[in-house]
Amino acid sequence: MSRFAPRPDPPYYAVIFTAQRTDGEHGYGEMADRMAELASQQPGYLGVESTRDDAGLGITVSYWRTLADVSAWRRQWEHTAARNQGRAQWYSHYELRVAKVERAYGWDRGDGRSPGDGGA
Amino acid sequence: MSRFAPRPDPPYYAVIFTAQRTDGEHGYGEMADRMAELASQQPGYLGVESTRDDAGLGITVSYWRTLADVSAWRRQWEHTAARNQGRAQWYSHYELRVAKVERAYGWDRGDGRSPGDGGA
């Protein structure tokens, strides 16, 4: 399964979540899997890209069709994070940015050129 | 040094670069350090967040004041990547998205609340 999100024609929305994990698991993996599955079932979900290094710094970017889709997902995410009182266990710090994707490009070594630029 | 970028008041721009590294170094680390330093000296540079996992999937998000600042940086980045013929050595695939940050929030465990939401 590709770890890259699809590249629909802009505009669409990106939620950029940069977070420093705490030490210890505290049920994080289970929660993250559940939230990823929940996100994929939300209206307007386009895809996600996520990675985390050995020092616990992770960046997850989820993509959404409209700002309303983003807002609905944010409310659900915050509700779940609050309900589980997990935020302070899972993270020491995070930044969350909502951004409108205006241009998108891709490149793959297989063909040496952009496989269908969107909105360039 | 913090691995989080500052949180200026929106709007500003994000360049989301998700890339799968190839195996082997091929001078990548030196190039990446040089490009990061170059970026930080560009007009409109606001900061960067970057991480990569053991499987070589990395996400780097750089932040810029204006779209013109982004375009100037992109030209320089592509020029350097092409000049060094490094792209096919360093990456097997990447996606690059330019997005306008409309809202930004942060949270820190130290105080349990958002340390100054921007543009909410």
Side-chain angles (χ1 to χ4, degrees), chain B residues 39-95:
Chain B
S40 72
Q41 298 165 350
Q42 292 293 303
Y45 175 83
L46 297 174
V48 69
E49 292 164 352
S50 187
T51 188
R52 184 178 302 282
D53 69 14
D54 289 339
L57 188 79
I59 300 178
T60 296
V61 188
S62 58
Y63 296 99
W64 303 85
R65 180 54 66 193
T66 69
L67 193 54
D69 297 329
V70 168
S71 298
W73 169 242
R74 266 196 70 209
R75 281 193 298 274
Q76 178 151 7
W77 183 86
E78 290 180 345
H79 176 70
T80 302
R83 185 181 59 202
N84 295 333
Q85 300 185 322
R87 189 158 62 170
Q89 287 187 299
W90 297 325
Y91 305 114
S92 58
H93 186 99
Y94 65 70
E95 299 287 329

Side-chain angles (χ1 to χ4, degrees), chain A residues 92-112:
Chain A
S92 58
H93 186 98
Y94 64 70
E95 299 287 328
L96 190 154
R97 294 173 175 93
V98 179
K100 184 181 191 177
V101 176
E102 298 182 349
R103 302 178 190 189
Y105 316 86
W107 179 87
D108 192 272
R109 189 165 58 162
D111 55 15

